[in-house]
Amino acid sequence: MPEAGVPVGYFFAVSTLLFSLGVFGALRRTNPVAILMSIELMLNAVNINFVAFSRHLGAADPVRGPMFAIFVITVAAAEVSLGLAIVLALLRRRRSADVNEFDALKG
Amino acid sequence: MPQHAWIIPALPLASYALTVFVGRRLGERAAYIGIAALGLATVLAFWTLAAVGGGASAAMSVPWLRLGDWEIRMGFQVGRLEAAVLAMVTLVSWMIFIFSKGYMHGDARFNRFYAHLSLFVTGMLTLVMADNFLLFFVAWEIMGLCSYLLIGHWFEEVENARAAFKAFLVTRLGDVGLLLGIWTLAAATGSLRFADILEKVEAGELSGSLVTVAALLLFMGAVGKSAQVPLHIWLPDAMAGPTPVSALIHAATMVAAGVFLVGRTYPLFEAAPAALATVAYIGAVTALVAALIATVQTDIKKTLAYSTMSQLGYMMLAMGVGGFAAGLFHLEAHAFFKALLFLAAGSVIHAVHTQDMHRMGGLIGPLRLTGLTFLAGALALAGIPPFAGFFSKDAVLVAVHASPYRALFWVALFTAFLTAYYMTRAAALTFFGRPREREVIEHAHESPPVMTAPLLVLVVPTALFGFLGPWFQAFVGGHEAHGAEAAPVQALAIGAAVAGILVAWAIYGFRALDRRTAIRLLKPLYVLFKEKFFFDHLGLAVARLGMLLSLAVGAFDRLVVDGLVNGVAWLVLLIGRGARALTAGSAQAYALVMLAGVVIGLFIYQVLGRVG
Amino acid sequence: MLSLLIFLPLLAAVPILLLPAGREQEIKRLATAAAAAPVLLVALMWPGLGAGGPGFLYEVRVPWVPSLGIEYHLGVDGISFPLVALSALVFLVAVLASYGIRERVKEYFALVLVLEAAVMGVFTALDYVLFYLFFELVLVPMYFLIAIWGGPRREYAAIKFIIYTMAGSLLMLIGILALYFHTGANTFSIPEIARRAPELVPPSWRLWVFLALFAGFAVKVPVWPLHTWLPDAHVEAPTPISVILAALLLKMGTYGLVRITHPTLPEAAREFAAALAVLGVVNIIYGALAAMAQRDFKKLVAYSSVSHMGYVLLGLAAGTAAAVNGAVFQMVAHGLISAMLFLLVGVFYDRTHTREMERLHGMYLATPTAGVILAFAGLANLGLPALPGFVAEFFTLQGVMQVGTGFFTRIAYVTVIGIVFTAAFNLLMMHRVLMGRPREEFAALPDATPRELATLVPLMAASLLLGVWPAVIMRMTNGPVSEFIRILGGA
């Protein structure tokens, strides 16, 4: 269904920017809450892509793309609640929320 | 009777089992079990001999094993050769069993001694009667085992244990040759039975080189067992065992097994002239070397040990030059008088508690019976008629004379001279002259009848067996002695013997020549003989080399093989340590690496995708 | 019958684990009963074996994972049954010898029984998956038995043992899978695959598949130079576990060669025969030399195992009736003899707390009965006639000679060097341990106890029986071995 409107490249530009911001944040920030937020950014970049592609490719079933996005949003919400719970647990235990202080995964 | 000859070795075997299991309760009375068993066996053996003399013979076998389509049977055969040797072995063993009752009285391991002695006799009798190589070898090794156990009977002294160790290992070296010989023959003929193998050999079905190799390999076993140069070094050390053991094993029977082996497989040797020549030369060298060493021994048992070795060389020499019957005749005669000599020596040692002849002297006074019987044995060994040794040695000399080996005849004759010399020397030092040490002779008294009676019994064959010579040689089926040439050889033999006796008597009897002067005059030779031609040093060097090799392998295993293994493990560990640094535990670092991985993966996919 | 052999010990382990740890008496009794049961079963099965022809007896065959063709398939023939019988005897002996264990008795006996089940499984399984399962299952209890009840360096030894055997097993697994996919019959049955493999495995693959399987078994045998786990494992393992290790676990390797590699890939086996013969001779001579260099009694016995297992390799390489029968016989013979020797090492260690042979001298005087038995075992190890080691070695080398090629004749000539060194190290061992007078602190040691005699005497009796009348075993082995040789192409 090729339609006039915003070209699909613009959506990519936005989602790429969002994703890169998310990656940078997830890698650089030391506050776990900020990291979670950055991950949200990355997921939302993906969501934009889903929706944009769905529209751009004119899928037979126009709901499928947005459907994925809704799923991702749901899972992300659950994930964040879990993540925040972990952060709270960490805060209680270690009186700190700096990720650099957690290296229990060390080999 | 020959059909039931298997009972003969079964008797001492039963005696062994009884002595082991109920012997402890009987105390020294356990000896009677062995003595009774051997007595019965002797009677049966002579009965068998009579029956075989009457033309009977027997063979029996039972199926033992099947390998593929190859059926192996175990069995006995009793013909003339076997019957003759059986009779000798049982009689001599019986006498030694009786003698040991007195000699070993009070020994801490009296029962064990009798048990091992019984097992040994079982081995010897089985060996003689075996109809196949496997049973022969089993018996051969059982004797080796008993020899080991009996030499080491007084194992508290490390020296005795070491002698036992040496005897086992050195004879094992020869056994390996025997095993290879057996395997070669069995592989070539598809059978382990003597009859099958010899039949094929005589029919000329085997290649000449194979027969020669097999014969030489078998002979290697005989060299070990019969103490021929260069595997003889164990025999003198074996004198560490109790004297009856020396008499039984290291003089009369076991060491004769090697000669018997050559006799048993004689057609094989006849088909391999090179092997036969080897037998002759080794025999001659052994006879001479041992006789030379015997002239400087001061230990009465060692003198006899070297004389045994020398006489075994004689037997081998006879075999080697084709004197099959002469060799076996000497084997039997030698068994009688050497057993007598050793037992008499045992009686002496029992009385004076030393083996050093220089500390004895004049013992003929207190030990009249022992002395006289020893003299009979010595005269037999020296080759003075009418004793058995004269006839048998003469038969050997005649056989050698009739062969093309001129030089060997003179070697044999010279050995005969030496034999007479050292036996006279031994007799003179032990029994005659003035007593050299008062306390030695003061406590000396004649042994009890249980020990002297066997001596007296053994004097009979020592004195008379020789007259059976022509009959015996015809009986065992060999070639008749060459009557025409015999007379000059006999004269030479007697001459050599008398000369030996006279020279020895001149030095040790009349002291016409001081022995210290003689030693000084012949210093290099004396050292050479005293050091036993340095064969022991050679043996020790070989043993050290083996030990060194094993230590090298041990170190190699620890350092190189295992080192390599641990090296690999260490390398893996190192890589692991390196990898560990990458995983500092920061989830963000991991995510970064993941990202890099994805980027690199994508990049590669792009590039390769283009190229592909 | 065969399932009982495997599951009886396994099931008996359960009540043992349920018993409270304090009731050691009951635990020991129960374990003994559980180990005695297989002996009884073996005795019941013995007459059925008869003069064992080709083919399997007492077969059990139940589909297990039908979609993949995996079956629960057990069976014995004349080659495996003697090993099953040996296992039953050795485990009973090992359990009896374990009465002295003090720590965690419950877990120990349970693990031993699991081990027995696994070993029995290896010797009876006729399905590759089942076989592999049992083969690996053996490692688990073995690892713990060494790592928990072992000597001072037990962890090193246990890990070395497990890594070695796991590495080998992995290669073996690859080999098994290669066979499975090449034969393509949707079956893991060992005899079935053996029937098809010669045609279906492409020639270019044969040697590689053979080598992969061989690698798995070679570690167990152990074939030089993969043997260094053995001395360490032996030295660190407690006595009864050493006994099991030497008497049975090593046999799993050579059994694998007889049961799997050679009949399944006869062409590759023929190609590999010369190399196998050389490896065998290296094992024999190298093992004997290394044994002679040891000062530690237990290490000496361990290296002597390396040497004796070489005869099995050599016999299989020669592939004549006498050689293969000798090789199979050697497995049983070595099982009995090495079990005796390790038990004796334990007997002396329990009394003197040393394995240094230099310090042990004079044991003949100190402990006469144990001394005589050690002499018996040492002489058996040396290959003295009328004892089984001799029979095995005699016929193995006889068979090697019968091959008739110059190569194998030369092999036989070289092997006898090993015989001389075997005599040397055994005599040296007896000389050091038994002869002379004991040290003062060892002068008043107690002689062998009735329980120790109960472990040693059956092994002695079995040795003597097999040495004098080897037909007891060879009667069974001859049929399957003839078949084995026929498959091998009479090479």
Side-chain angles (χ1 to χ4, degrees):
Chain A
M1 223 192 293
E3 258 176 51
V6 187
V8 74
Y10 287 17
F11 289 100
F12 289 168
V14 171
S15 75
T16 308
L17 198 69
L18 263 182
F19 191 83
S20 303
L21 274 172
V23 167
F24 181 78
L27 294 182
R28 274 310 289 165
R29 302 302 296 260
T30 60
N31 188 328
V33 180
I35 291 173
L36 280 174
M37 283 161 68
S38 307
I39 291 171
E40 282 303 302
L41 280 184
M42 286 155 76
L43 289 171
N44 281 324
V46 174
N47 284 346
I48 288 172
N49 273 8
F50 273 129
V51 176
F53 268 109
S54 172
R55 177 111 179 121
H56 173 69
L57 295 175
D61 181 2
V63 199
R64 194 173 282 174
M67 199 62 174
F68 267 109
I70 290 169
F71 260 104
V72 170
I73 288 166
T74 319
V75 171
E79 199 186 294
V80 167
S81 59
L82 201 69
L84 286 175
I86 292 174
V87 170
L88 275 180
L90 282 177
L91 267 175
R92 247 183 232 145
R93 274 196 145 201
R94 307 276 286 264
R95 303 253 154 243
S96 151
D98 186 347
V99 285
N100 286 336
E101 283 175 25
F102 303 110
D103 59 352
L105 280 176
K106 194 169 171 175
Chain B
M1 181 53 222
Q3 272 307 335
H4 301 291
W6 59 270
I7 299 174
I8 299 174
L11 282 166
L13 185 64
S15 148
Y16 169 70
L18 273 176
T19 314
V20 166
F21 288 113
V22 299
R24 204 169 289 171
R25 245 162 286 156
L26 290 176
E28 291 200 3
R29 275 171 301 172
Y32 292 119
I33 302 174
I35 293 171
L38 254 291
L40 202 53
T42 309
V43 172
L44 288 177
F46 274 90
W47 192 359
T48 308
L49 181 63
V52 170
S57 72
M60 61 160 284
S61 63
V62 291
W64 187 65
L65 206 56
R66 269 186 92 80
L67 299 173
D69 304 322
W70 184 27
E71 181 166 34
I72 300 166
R73 299 177 71 86
M74 279 287 151
F76 289 124
Q77 65 177 47
V78 180
R80 297 174 151 203
L81 172 63
E82 293 81 17
V85 179
L86 278 184
M88 177 275 284
V89 170
T90 45
L91 178 64
V92 171
S93 312
W94 191 25
M95 290 308 119
I96 288 163
F97 268 62
I98 298 172
F99 180 88
S100 305
K101 174 91 171 65
Y103 189 83
M104 299 302 287
H105 174 68
D107 189 84
R109 286 181 291 275
F110 184 87
N111 284 331
R112 190 185 286 192
F113 178 82
Y114 263 94
H116 293 162
L117 220 51
S118 298
L119 186 62
F120 167 77
V121 176
T122 312
M124 185 69 196
L125 296 174
T126 312
L127 176 119
V128 171
M129 291 168 63
D131 78 339
N132 64 69
F133 263 121
L134 186 54
L135 188 57
F136 183 92
F137 187 78
V138 170
W140 177 278
E141 285 293 291
I142 285 178
M143 285 200 294
L145 163 70
C146 293
S147 172
Y148 170 76
L149 294 171
L150 287 166
I151 296 169
H153 184 71
W154 291 314
F155 54 78
E156 292 93 334
E157 303 308 326
V158 174
E159 272 315 303
N160 297 343
R162 190 163 296 158
F165 177 91
K166 186 173 171 185
F168 204 131
L169 200 57
V170 173
T171 50
R172 191 80 188 165
L173 214 58
D175 295 349
V176 158
L178 176 55
L179 272 175
L180 278 173
I182 294 174
W183 289 326
T184 307
L185 285 171
T189 64
S191 173
L192 284 164
R193 292 189 60 221
F194 290 121
D196 296 345
I197 291 172
L198 296 181
E199 196 179 296
K200 289 214 168 123
V201 168
E202 281 172 333
E205 283 180 31
L206 306 181
S207 76
S209 60
L210 184 108
V211 171
T212 307
V213 167
L216 283 174
L217 286 170
L218 294 184
F219 183 58
M220 199 173 145
V223 166
K225 206 64 143 189
S226 286
Q228 302 292 295
V229 173
L231 296 183
H232 65 277
I233 46 175
W234 65 272
L235 184 65
D237 291 29
M239 295 303 126
T243 308
V245 171
S246 312
L248 179 60
I249 300 186
H250 307 120
T253 56
M254 184 183 86
V255 290
V259 181
F260 183 79
L261 170 65
V262 177
R264 157 67 83 219
T265 56
Y266 204 62
L268 187 74
F269 283 89
E270 280 180 321
L276 213 51
T278 312
V279 174
Y281 278 106
I282 295 264
V285 168
T286 306
L288 182 64
V289 164
L292 287 172
I293 298 172
T295 56
V296 296
Q297 293 301 313
T298 56
D299 182 315
I300 186 166
K301 279 180 76 178
K302 288 242 162 113
T303 309
L304 291 177
Y306 279 107
S307 95
T308 302
M309 187 180 140
S310 170
Q311 298 307 307
L312 289 167
Y314 245 82
M315 296 172 209
M316 286 295 185
L317 173 61
M319 292 282 184
V321 298
F324 170 74
L328 287 172
F329 179 39
H330 194 48
L331 185 154
E332 294 242 336
H334 172 257
F336 290 127
F337 61 67
K338 188 51 67 64
L340 171 63
L341 279 171
F342 261 110
L343 290 188
S347 179
V348 170
I349 295 163
H350 189 68
V352 300
H353 300 291
T354 174
Q355 302 185 5
D356 187 353
M357 292 192 289
H358 285 302
R359 297 183 58 201
M360 301 174 187
L363 288 174
I364 192 81
L367 304 176
R368 190 147 303 252
L369 209 52
T370 303
L372 287 175
T373 49
F374 187 91
L375 282 185
L379 286 173
L381 182 54
I384 295 298
F387 291 100
F390 164 71
F391 293 97
S392 63
K393 202 180 278 186
D394 185 50
V396 173
L397 285 171
V398 168
V400 180
H401 191 252
S403 75
Y405 305 108
R406 263 303 97 134
L408 294 190
F409 174 74
W410 295 108
V411 169
L413 199 66
F414 182 57
T415 306
F417 162 77
L418 288 174
T419 310
Y421 167 82
Y422 66 70
M423 278 321 290
T424 311
R425 168 175 172 272
L429 282 175
T430 310
F431 291 105
F432 299 105
R434 267 182 302 117
R436 278 178 288 279
E437 288 193 26
R438 185 155 296 278
E439 75 267 30
V440 165
I441 197 158
E442 257 174 10
H443 300 289
H445 50 82
E446 186 59 281
S447 303
V450 71
M451 289 167 71
T452 49
L455 295 179
L456 290 172
V457 173
L458 283 171
V459 165
V460 176
T462 300
L464 301 178
F465 183 67
F467 295 106
L468 296 177
W471 171 83
F472 179 86
Q473 295 190 50
F475 181 75
V476 295
H479 322 283
E480 195 68 53
H482 311 268
E485 296 170 75
V489 175
Q490 262 175 5
L492 278 172
I494 297 180
V498 172
I501 291 173
L502 287 180
V503 172
W505 198 257
I507 299 173
Y508 294 97
F510 298 133
R511 307 198 172 278
L513 176 67
D514 185 45
R515 52 179 274 277
R516 286 188 186 76
T517 325
I519 289 171
R520 210 172 326 113
L521 283 174
L522 299 170
K523 186 81 187 180
L525 281 178
Y526 178 77
V527 171
L528 187 64
F529 299 163
K530 200 80 188 167
E531 294 297 326
K532 306 157 200 159
F533 289 84
F534 298 97
F535 275 112
D536 271 345
H537 297 76
L538 189 70
L540 206 62
V542 171
R544 289 234 170 94
L545 211 67
M547 199 67 219
L548 215 65
L549 186 64
S550 106
L551 288 176
V553 166
F556 176 81
D557 196 64
R558 210 169 45 253
L559 299 177
V560 180
V561 181
D562 208 26
L564 225 63
V565 170
N566 285 332
V568 169
W570 183 76
L571 205 70
V572 170
L573 202 70
L574 215 67
I575 294 170
R577 286 236 176 88
R580 186 160 132 184
L582 291 177
T583 59
S586 157
Q588 285 178 317
Y590 297 163
L592 185 64
V593 172
M594 237 154 78
L595 184 74
V598 169
V599 170
I600 291 169
L602 278 175
F603 180 74
I604 289 173
Y605 175 75
Q606 283 294 314
V607 172
L608 290 186
R610 294 270 157 74
V611 174
Chain C
M1 278 295 222
L2 293 178
S3 298
L4 270 182
L5 268 184
I6 297 171
F7 287 103
L8 218 60
L10 203 57
L11 289 180
V14 175
I16 286 179
L17 281 177
L18 291 178
L19 276 170
R23 296 168 66 182
E24 296 187 1
Q25 215 50 32
E26 280 90 342
I27 290 170
K28 282 172 188 167
R29 246 179 249 150
L30 192 59
T32 311
V39 177
L40 221 65
L41 283 172
V42 163
L44 284 175
M45 286 162 69
W46 197 289
L49 256 291
F56 295 98
L57 293 156
Y58 298 107
E59 267 192 87
V60 184
R61 196 164 188 175
V62 183
W64 187 18
V65 186
S67 59
L68 292 174
I70 301 172
E71 293 170 309
Y72 175 76
H73 187 184
L74 305 177
V76 286
D77 67 353
I79 292 175
S80 53
F81 187 72
L83 293 170
V84 169
L86 178 72
S87 310
L89 178 65
V90 167
F91 268 101
L92 179 58
V93 165
V95 166
L96 286 176
S98 303
Y99 276 33
I101 295 285
R102 296 269 166 273
E103 298 163 18
R104 308 173 78 172
V105 178
K106 192 167 81 166
E107 288 86 349
Y108 176 87
F109 280 101
L111 283 172
V112 168
L113 289 174
V114 172
L115 187 60
E116 169 156 23
V119 168
M120 289 290 183
V122 168
F123 289 138
T124 54
L126 290 180
D127 185 279
Y128 274 105
V129 175
L130 201 59
F131 178 84
Y132 188 77
L133 192 80
F134 284 127
F135 202 83
E136 294 295 283
L137 184 58
V138 166
L139 301 184
V140 179
M142 207 65 202
Y143 172 80
F144 287 114
L145 285 168
I146 296 174
I148 297 177
W149 289 272
R153 291 174 71 221
R154 55 185 176 245
E155 276 167 22
Y156 170 77
I159 287 176
K160 198 170 177 180
F161 165 73
I162 210 110
I163 288 180
Y164 251 112
T165 40
M166 286 293 256
S169 306
L170 271 177
L171 286 171
M172 189 172 101
L173 186 63
I174 294 171
I176 291 176
L177 291 177
L179 279 178
Y180 176 73
F181 289 120
H182 275 298
T183 51
N186 196 34
T187 177
F188 274 105
S189 160
I190 293 175
E192 198 67 38
I193 286 183
R195 249 193 303 285
R196 293 159 185 264
E199 291 160 25
L200 292 172
V201 177
S204 57
W205 277 73
R206 275 178 199 144
L207 197 61
W208 292 109
V209 175
F210 182 90
L211 287 178
L213 292 171
F214 180 75
F217 298 128
V219 171
K220 275 271 159 55
V221 170
V223 176
W224 183 90
L226 306 174
H227 64 278
T228 51
W229 65 268
L230 182 81
D232 284 316
H234 269 313
V235 169
E236 299 308 323
T239 302
I241 302 310
S242 294
V243 169
I244 295 170
L245 195 59
L248 304 176
L249 259 62
L250 308 188
K251 308 302 172 296
M252 286 168 34
T254 46
Y255 173 74
L257 297 182
V258 182
R259 171 66 70 230
I260 292 177
T261 52
H262 277 64
T264 310
L265 297 159
E267 290 88 358
R270 270 204 299 279
E271 278 173 50
F272 193 61
L276 189 59
V278 170
L279 284 175
V281 173
V282 170
N283 257 42
I284 293 170
I285 297 176
Y286 186 94
L289 281 171
M292 199 159 112
Q294 304 305 319
R295 289 157 173 278
D296 184 307
F297 197 174
K298 215 169 180 182
K299 267 203 171 147
L300 177 137
V301 182
Y303 276 106
S304 125
S305 289
V306 174
S307 175
H308 283 100
M309 293 309 283
Y311 285 96
V312 184
L313 301 178
L314 186 55
L316 291 178
T320 55
V324 179
N325 271 310
V328 175
F329 195 78
Q330 171 77 333
M331 292 193 217
V332 179
H334 175 257
L336 294 172
I337 295 167
S338 60
M340 270 191 287
L341 283 171
F342 277 116
L343 284 174
L344 286 160
V345 172
V347 165
F348 289 113
Y349 183 76
D350 288 345
R351 284 164 177 69
T352 61
H353 300 285
T354 180
R355 287 191 305 256
E356 285 284 309
M357 286 187 287
E358 309 276 308
R359 300 189 59 217
L360 272 174
H361 48 80
M363 286 299 125
Y364 236 155
L365 281 183
T367 56
T369 314
V372 168
I373 298 175
L374 179 62
F376 179 91
L379 290 165
N381 202 34
L382 173 158
L384 197 80
L387 294 169
F390 166 74
V391 178
E393 283 158 30
F394 184 91
F395 286 115
T396 304
L397 285 170
Q398 168 72 70
V400 168
M401 215 59 145
Q402 270 170 357
V403 176
T405 60
F407 173 74
F408 273 100
T409 309
R410 251 168 265 145
I411 286 277
Y413 275 77
V414 177
T415 307
V416 298
I417 299 171
I419 295 184
V420 173
F421 280 109
T422 304
F425 83 76
N426 278 298
L427 288 173
L428 208 59
M429 177 271 283
M430 284 156 67
H431 184 80
R432 282 178 177 160
V433 176
L434 295 176
M435 304 297 192
R437 290 175 207 284
R439 298 166 79 92
E440 246 169 60
E441 70 253 43
F442 299 153
L445 295 176
D447 204 351
T449 63
R451 188 177 57 78
E452 283 164 347
L453 288 179
T455 61
L456 287 164
V457 170
L459 295 173
M460 286 171 78
S463 298
L464 207 57
L465 174 70
L466 291 188
V468 173
W469 201 255
V472 175
I473 296 291
M474 287 202 182
R475 199 170 57 101
M476 288 179 209
T477 60
N478 196 30
V481 163
S482 302
E483 177 68 13
F484 175 90
I485 290 161
R486 198 189 56 72
I487 292 170
L488 220 54

